[in-house]
Amino acid sequence: MAVETAQKQSFSERHHFLLRRLHSLSGIVPVGVFLIMHLTINASINVSPEMFEENVGKIHALGPLLVPVEIVGIFLPILFHALFGFQIWFSGQPNTTAYAYNGNIRYTLQRVTGGIAFIFILYHLWHMHWLGNPLGGGHFDPHPGQAAITTAQAMQMSVWRIPVNILYAIGVLAAVYHFANGIWTSLITWGITVGPSSQRVSGVACIMFGIALSIVGLSSIRAFATMDVSEPGSSTHVDRVDSSETIHTQAG
Amino acid sequence: MSKKINVTVKRQDEQNSGSRWEKFSLDYESGMNVTTLLQRIAANPVTVDAGESTPVAYDACCLEEVCGACSMIINGRVRQACSALVDNLLQDRPDQITLEPMTKFPVVRDLLVDRSFMFNGLKKVRAWVPVDGYFDRGPGPKMSPHQQEDQYPLTECMTCGCCVEACPQINDRSSFIGPHAISQAILFNEHPVGQFEEGERMKAITGVGGIGDCGNAQNCVKVCPKNIPLTRSIAKAGKMATKFVFRNFFGT
Amino acid sequence: MASERVVVVGGGLAGLAASMRLAEAGVSVDLISMVPVKRSHSVCAQGGINSVNTATRELGDSEYLHLDDTVYGGAFLQHQPPVKEMCDWGPRIIDLMDRLGVAFNRTNEGNRDQRRFGGTMYKRTAFAGATTGQQLLYALDEQCRRWEVDGLIRKHEYWEFLGPILDDNGVCRGVVAQDMFRMDIRAFPADAVVMANGGCGLIYGRSTMSLICTGGAAGRCFKAGVKYANGEFIQVHPTAVPGTDKLRLMSESARGEGGRVWVPKKPHDDRDPMSIPEGERYYFLEERYPKYGNLVPRDIATREIFDVCVNQKLSVEQDRLCVYLDLTHLPSSTHKKLEGILAIYEKFQATDPRVKPMKIFPAVHYSMGGLWCDYEKNEQTGGLVLGSPRNHQSNVPGLFVIGEADYQYHGGNRLGANSLLSCIFTGMIVAPSVESYMAALRTRASDMPTSMFDQEQARHKTHCDALISGNGDENPYHIHDELGDSMTRNVTVVRYNKNIEQTLAKIDELDERYKRIRLSDKGNWTNQNLSFSRALGDMLVLARVIARGAMQRDECRGAHYKPDFAITAPDADDPATLRQQAIKWCDAFQASNDQWLKSTVCGYRPDGDHEFGYEEVDTSLVPARPRTYGLKGAEIIEEVWNERMKKKSTESAADTQAVANA
């Protein structure tokens, strides 16, 4: 604190403000938008497994473009948002014990939920995404006829069934809180909600949005966790090794 | 009548020495405030267990909450010692009153801290109206009562340090300039003549330690003894910064 | 040019205004202050700042009337040329502060709003809520910060002034000051020194003043040979809220905005004040002074409150003296303009003054007197010769005095909202005086032998060490309490010689005991105990100046009121007798003026037997007249006096005519 700026500034110092704004932005577009898409597509399982698979198919229709889109549009922004976020977290000094104001609790929660969400995302990637294949994860198979059942199976695996579901619920809630509160603060950061009354209104809107998105997210967990995995016509054996390639060729 | 008050003071002899707690037992008198307690200790610096001590060093001046000198941590929360009435403190916690120096500034001695950091912040944001000189040049700009009402609360900032103390974003690992300085920058950016130097101020506001480092915990506005709408200033700074950066990026 | 250095001691309105004006002229300034300048006592000024303005001018107001109100309010004890100059500058100073960004309240059209203050019939007072002093100080603080960034002002905050440095010819060549953190003592060589050290309310123990208003710096200048004038004129503000550590001011603006002072007609009526019907309330100021009402000058309001509580025994409470200051009838828009003081009352008294009348009592507030300083009259204008090195220079060459620390402008009683004006004004005009003084200097501080500065530094170090090592049995805080008690009891609102004598004896006793004080902190790091104890020594010196001055002045003038020397007011029912009484009254008034219309000027003697002299007052612009403020029943005095003046002027006209004819 209070150290006078040195003559030579580092890259992050020179672009301090832009990086902060990029961090704020990245949390909403693309990461937040992706979160909404992801959770609503998942929730379509509540309509029917076919509906869910149709939605999954739409995404995978990108074919060979999917991987670059995933990397540039999702992985890198999340990684940037997370790493920069950790730096912000550690440059702060939470003090909710002395100052237990709502705003302060929100502030601390924003950091904690960000951390939880990031760890959860890593787990989730291992658990569901084909990237997890080499480590014994990657249970999700996007093929039509497989997508819903493999997800459900992954959520209902033997003894881990309950902890996995709890973990998913925590992860989803953390991500949703982080996103909803992030929208609220970004409205301040960008100077859209200036006065206390507009901040109150946007606060209510963000709470409602957060509750809605939580319901959407939790409903799909519940649906996959309770889905009958021994449905006729569905295979319990998943060919994990070349699933991604098969999808690509099929989609192409 | 001889009701006693237990006062525990965190003491530190010099800038780099360690701290210790000292307990004083003082006669209660109705209408007392914390500065009175410190005056009583100065007149008779005898601790409960260790006997004769020295008067507690502290900052105090106007004793009516307009000079900003006597900020300290009283019962765990930062506030002005002069307006901290003993009766109210005893209601919250009947057994004792605890006095500590603020933690975000270097301690000079006991409860006395060095707040140069805050005054330097005012220099960085060039918190003044850049008039030509002090010879007669007629009246200042006309201003609507509405504008005056916006301006007046911000001009009441007495650089007391409560906002800085309660802000989780201000600590050894961060260079955040503090809510008070941002609010003063806004005050002058919105002044009809002060705005001529808006660009200079926005350079500081968008630099390291500027508005980007605010974490929206909003403790500042809660602890401000003058109820200055600091978060409004912060949001305005966000808005001005957005515009400033866009203008710089696309303009000229 | 570049080698010229000025030390300014004190960073309130006056010190900051002087510093910024000097910096503007290219002079390097060392600004020494015990506290960060932003925390100076000027922040406590609430109500506003006076000047003639476009609105009052339409109603017949003028700079001359501002002068007239000021000297009438001050009981004619001030030299009129500086006051005239100040009143002339008023509008310009408000304009300047406006340009510097002070958030003055506005009218719907966007002009500065004005309120009425005591001792005038015009709404002259510009204001920023009820924290005008704070707003003005911050504006000057900001400008000085700007010069600090530019390098022309060097601030030394948390440095305490220990004394001026005089060379063998008695010329001031700098100051010695002490770092209040590290306790280093250092000499600051300077070509001129400007003292802007404020008032000395702490001599009275608790007052409306800040903890730093000890009078320490003034006492140190006095001991170094600067004369002290009109010390006995101490303003007691009528409306303050008693507290255990200080008496908190409730601005005159509360009355300016329509607040009313009253007591229940039934002594110690314990009903809820709001339930006491109008007919059972005694609005004593309004009843006695129908013209000015609640806005009589402070000395009068204070005496009336005292009289109602002490002599008429009508205090609101039985065991404590107080009267009601009632704002409950005012609209919320007015409450908003007074927010600053209402918040103070609410915070410290835990009662909402918007719905319940405040309980207030007078408190020591301002020192009209102070270090003596000179001026040069402009014979053409009747004001000052601007840029004359004599303006604000004390009897010690090179040492200038401004702001509350000086004795000019307010005479026997200061009008509300004139102090902010006088502080900024003196800061503004002292700069060119200092410049002219320095331009004429043949030798500079930098030409002086360093040994001179070293010696002074060492002298103060020795004094400081002696205080620390003192091992007596006296507690400085107790001495201060006793001093404050005695001064407040005997040398404030109502003064009797036998009581003042008691206080003088008390001061003798305390002086002796002071020699045996023992500091509870003997350390050499941020020793506030030392700072306080040292100031206590100076308080004792000034207390004696104040008490002796009061003792010797056997008359009533402004804030100095001795019932034994009061002229009995005419009270006969029979018109002829009444007129006779009024004639007698005017004779006595004339005689009193002949004897006492002069300033007390006191010089220091180490044995405490200070040298008291008197200085004629320049009343060339507004001749002295009875100060009745339209008191009910006193109309006859004004009538008789006016007749007498008329007669005198025809006579002198006839004389001139006769001389011309001859």
Side-chain angles (χ1 to χ4, degrees), chain C residues 317-329:
Chain C
E317 288 181 16
Q318 189 146 21
D319 47 357
R320 186 170 74 106
L321 299 181
C322 57
V323 301
Y324 286 127
L325 171 56
D326 197 343
L327 306 179
T328 55
H329 57 290

Side-chain angles (χ1 to χ4, degrees), chain C residues 598-627:
Chain C
K598 53 193 181 185
S599 294
T600 310
V601 180
C602 178
Y604 177 73
R605 280 231 204 110
D607 60 6
D609 191 19
H610 306 316
E611 219 171 279
F612 276 81
Y614 293 90
E615 172 193 72
E616 285 306 313
V617 180
D618 181 337
T619 55
S620 54
L621 301 168
V622 185
R625 63 177 187 270
R627 195 168 166 267

